[in-house]
Amino acid sequence: MAKRNFPIILSKKTVAKSKLFTVEALDLRFSNGVERTYERMKPSGRTAVMMVPVTKEGDLLLVREYAAGTESYELGFPKGLVDCGERPIDAANRELKEEIGLGADKLTPLKDVVLAPSYFSSKMTLFIAEDLYSEQLEGDEPEPLEVIRWPLSQAEELLTHLDFSEARSITALLLALRTLKPQPM
């Protein structure tokens, strides 16, 4: 594969702003001379984490949380933003305590993922959380999250569950299953 030169950024300007998002327009010139304007969410510099908690009994722990984007309650894994100066592994443990009232003695990183790289730069680190213990921290959710236990042995069925549709949760589950699968001797 031939190495490509990155487009030259001719200008950047804010075209829309809300409390949560800033939309930026980038005027670009590609190596072949073609110029285009791309819009993207302005990078915030913050990353996020998502954890696949697995109990010693062999259950996955999920949360049912209201999602304004779909205007419904969605089933997914605990997740949240990494605070300034915080390591992703520490944020993962904090978010577990805030969202499901459990910490993890063992957090295994799975992969860093990007949701929609064409217009969104935020990265999320996916973890498996094991060796869980009880510890509750106050979170920022407007209502208590419903914690759902799902047998790991029935994880394939979770993939077809109507409320389990977030791409990051599906990715985390598939990577976790590959990691948790017993290795042949």
Side-chain angles (χ1 to χ4, degrees):
M1 177 182 252
K3 182 175 174 5
R4 293 183 178 253
N5 293 323
F6 288 101
I8 297 169
I9 298 174
L10 302 171
S11 69
K12 289 182 198 178
K13 63 184 172 205
T14 298
V15 294
K17 189 173 177 92
S18 75
K19 288 190 289 185
L20 293 177
F21 304 108
T22 299
V23 178
E24 196 173 56
L26 297 177
D27 291 323
L28 303 171
R29 180 180 300 126
F30 289 83
S31 60
N32 63 359
V34 174
E35 293 185 9
R36 290 277 161 77
T37 300
Y38 280 53
E39 288 187 352
R40 69 176 184 183
M41 305 300 278
K42 184 176 181 178
S44 70
R46 292 190 71 187
T47 60
V49 292
M50 176 179 281
M51 296 67 60
V52 179
V54 183
T55 67
K56 66 179 184 232
E57 296 83 21
D59 291 328
L60 300 170
L61 299 178
L62 299 108
V63 293
R64 189 177 308 281
E65 184 174 15
Y66 183 73
T70 59
E71 297 179 16
S72 64
Y73 281 87
E74 300 284 338
L75 192 58
F77 292 112
K79 62 189 172 303
L81 290 173
V82 176
D83 290 337
C84 188
E86 188 177 37
R87 296 180 314 156
I89 197 163
D90 297 325
N93 217 11
R94 176 183 49 76
E95 286 292 341
L96 285 168
K97 294 171 186 177
E98 291 176 1
E99 295 196 359
I100 64 171
L102 298 170
D105 281 329
K106 182 179 178 188
L107 284 158
T108 305
L110 294 169
K111 185 172 182 64
D112 287 345
V113 295
V114 179
L115 182 61
S118 293
Y119 63 90
F120 199 63
S121 68
S122 294
K123 289 189 170 113
M124 176 176 267
T125 303
L126 308 177
F127 292 91
I128 295 175
E130 298 173 286
D131 299 339
L132 304 175
Y133 59 89
S134 182
E135 186 176 339
Q136 179 76 48
L137 291 177
E138 187 168 334
D140 58 359
E141 288 72 27
E143 63 184 359
L145 301 180
E146 181 184 1
V147 178
I148 306 292
R149 292 178 85 89
W150 193 283
L152 181 57
S153 62
Q154 297 174 19
E156 293 288 329
E157 295 171 29
L158 183 56
L159 291 170
T160 60
H161 194 282
L162 289 177
D163 295 344
F164 187 74
S165 60
E166 183 192 17
R168 297 175 301 179
S169 286
I170 292 168
T171 300
L173 176 59
L174 291 171
L175 289 170
L177 289 176
R178 188 173 75 181
T179 302
L180 294 168
K181 185 188 232 180
Q183 300 301 316
M185 297 223 183

